[in-house]
Amino acid sequence: MFETFYSSEKIIEKSRKLLEKGEYDKAVQIFEAPLKKEPKNLDLLLALAEVCCLIQEPQAALREYRKAFKAHGEKAREILDLLNTPPEGANRSDFIELRVEILIHLRDLNA
């Protein structure tokens, strides 16, 4: 299913196509192998978090955002800026709740 050599862009594009087809599990699973090879890949972590938002899995999204913050704390502001607007199609109330949880997580990291 996965190419030996891949780019983040190709993985993200494939995931979006799977989402469009309603193949939500596959849209998430496509990130597994690349993230095993590059667990700190910010583009993949954020894209997976967005997919989780879109399929209304806020706890899974939070897990991926936490990984992104942990691996790239210096980019916390940039990551938070992405959370100002829910991804198109995401449940707005879940997204707001997710943002609050992330802010609490950041506060705890900085405590």
Side-chain angles (χ1 to χ4, degrees):
M1 181 176 189
F2 299 102
E3 301 166 357
T4 304
F5 298 100
Y6 64 90
S7 70
S8 297
E9 295 84 16
K10 285 184 181 181
I11 297 301
I12 293 166
E13 184 179 327
K14 286 181 183 181
S15 179
R16 287 187 180 136
K17 287 180 181 180
L18 290 166
L19 281 174
E20 289 172 8
K21 293 180 184 178
E23 298 182 46
Y24 303 133
D25 290 340
K26 288 182 182 178
V28 171
Q29 291 170 352
I30 199 165
F31 290 96
E32 288 177 7
L35 281 171
K36 280 185 182 176
K37 286 187 174 192
E38 294 184 70
K40 294 181 179 182
N41 183 309
L42 185 59
D43 291 333
L44 292 176
L45 290 169
L46 294 176
L48 178 53
E50 183 176 319
V51 168
C52 292
C53 285
L54 291 170
I55 63 173
Q56 298 184 7
E57 293 288 342
Q59 292 306 311
L62 178 60
R63 182 180 62 242
E64 299 309 319
Y65 280 118
R66 282 181 176 159
K67 289 177 188 176
F69 283 120
K70 187 175 181 181
H72 301 277
E74 74 282 0
K75 295 186 178 184
R77 174 57 41 208
E78 294 171 48
I79 296 168
L80 279 175
D81 287 345
L82 294 173
L83 294 170
N84 285 331
T85 306
E88 188 175 325
N91 180 299
R92 187 162 178 76
S93 62
D94 284 347
F95 191 79
I96 291 169
E97 183 179 322
L98 175 67
R99 191 175 198 297
V100 169
E101 287 187 51
I102 289 168
L103 291 171
I104 290 168
H105 175 72
L106 279 179
R107 181 200 65 202
D108 293 344
L109 283 178
N110 292 322

